[in-house]
Amino acid sequence: KAGVTQTPRYLIKTRGQQVTLSCSPISGHRSVSWYQQTPGQGLQFLFEYFSETQRNKGNFPGRFSGRQFSNSRSEMNVSTLELGDSALYLCASSLEQTNTEAFFGQGTRLTVV
Amino acid sequence: QKEVEQNSGPLSVPEGAIASLNCTYSDRVSQSFFWYRQYSGKSPELIMSIYSNGDKEDGRFTAQLNKASQYVSLLIRDSQPSDSATYLCAVKKNRGSTLGRLYFGRGTQLTVWP
């Protein structure tokens, strides 16, 4: 059974640009959540999608957005990149929202220069 | 008050010893509990999940849950140098507006020395 797949694995972008990251969950999983990980802040919750609807959103500016498609694949977009957006972006998928395990993809390492 | 707190590290144990990692959570509606292992530069890997009070064993790993005390722990028996990593405690709630979200502790860095 394939795991969670995130693409691309690495990205280098310039300040002011925008970026789109992709996440393909484990087959059959309907909940996809996104996290940002930096050395100083640890794992910070971005948002969670279930059945194509954003159910939860973390404390991030509106430059961070996402969506989920009918096949449960999800994308997140960051516009007007700032240096502080450099981080490891992680996607996790779960069968359901509650009482089920969440599995992470390998992450996308974003560097903003 | 933070949702999830882990005992401050780093934790260093000799090979073959038992490593004990602890975690407390603040919200009683938390019903699903997880331990992740994260190697430097890698993504978190799920190693244990526990949903009811008591112990759950999987190989060298034992997770313990005490809902009355709002406390979760992970024991690693016969620790190996390959267990050296950061261990993250995470919880999910089964009620309220934040379903589906994992709340993480800051992690405990474990070093197992030969």
Side-chain angles (χ1 to χ4, degrees):
Chain A
K1 195 173 188 181
V4 180
T5 303
Q6 289 188 247
T7 56
R9 292 289 311 281
Y10 303 93
L11 266 178
I12 300 176
K13 290 285 189 179
T14 305
R15 273 182 302 173
Q17 287 187 311
Q18 68 93 25
V19 66
T20 299
L21 312 181
S22 179
C23 173
S24 293
I26 293 171
S27 178
H29 284 198
R30 298 195 294 160
S31 171
V32 174
S33 52
W34 289 86
Y35 302 84
Q36 180 197 66
Q37 188 174 37
T38 58
Q41 297 296 318
L43 274 156
Q44 301 289 310
F45 172 73
L46 282 156
F47 25 65
E48 186 256 348
Y49 287 88
F50 182 76
S51 294
E52 300 179 65
T53 302
Q54 185 181 92
R55 306 290 177 152
N56 293 288
K57 191 176 192 307
N59 190 26
F60 278 82
R63 300 185 296 108
F64 291 81
S65 62
R67 57 179 176 169
Q68 186 180 34
F69 302 96
S70 59
N71 61 358
S72 293
R73 190 177 72 85
S74 179
E75 289 181 347
M76 67 164 282
N77 185 277
V78 189
S79 62
T80 319
L81 284 166
E82 300 176 0
L83 295 179
D85 297 333
S86 295
L88 179 65
Y89 290 87
L90 293 159
C91 157
S93 81
S94 300
L95 196 60
E96 301 289 340
Q97 285 188 299
T98 60
N99 297 321
T100 55
E101 297 169 333
F103 299 91
F104 282 86
Q106 292 177 297
T108 294
R109 173 77 61 185
L110 172 64
T111 301
V112 182
V113 297
Chain B
Q1 185 182 10
K2 292 190 176 182
E3 291 277 353
V4 180
E5 303 227 38
Q6 294 186 238
N7 57 326
S8 59
L11 177 64
S12 181
V13 301
E15 185 174 355
I18 296 175
S20 177
L21 304 162
N22 303 313
C23 170
T24 58
Y25 58 96
S26 61
D27 194 339
R28 289 188 179 274
V29 303
S30 301
Q31 293 294 327
S32 306
F33 306 88
F34 309 95
W35 284 98
Y36 290 86
R37 176 175 63 196
Q38 187 174 26
Y39 293 112
S40 180
K42 302 294 186 182
S43 64
E45 173 194 8
L46 179 68
I47 53 171
M48 289 291 284
S49 60
I50 186 166
Y51 302 97
S52 54
N53 277 328
D55 294 359
K56 179 181 178 183
E57 188 174 314
D58 184 359
R60 297 185 295 111
F61 299 97
T62 299
Q64 299 174 315
L65 174 60
N66 183 326
K67 289 186 178 180
S69 301
Q70 294 176 239
Y71 176 90
V72 192
S73 67
L74 179 70
L75 298 178
I76 306 174
R77 291 182 301 282
D78 188 25
S79 296
Q80 302 296 309
S82 59
D83 295 326
S84 298
T86 296
Y87 288 80
L88 297 160
C89 173
V91 305
K92 264 191 188 182
K93 304 183 184 186
N94 71 344
R95 290 201 306 273
S97 61
T98 61
L99 302 181
R101 170 182 174 171
L102 283 164
Y103 291 86
F104 282 94
R106 293 300 300 267
T108 299
Q109 187 176 342
L110 170 67
T111 299
V112 181
W113 44 276

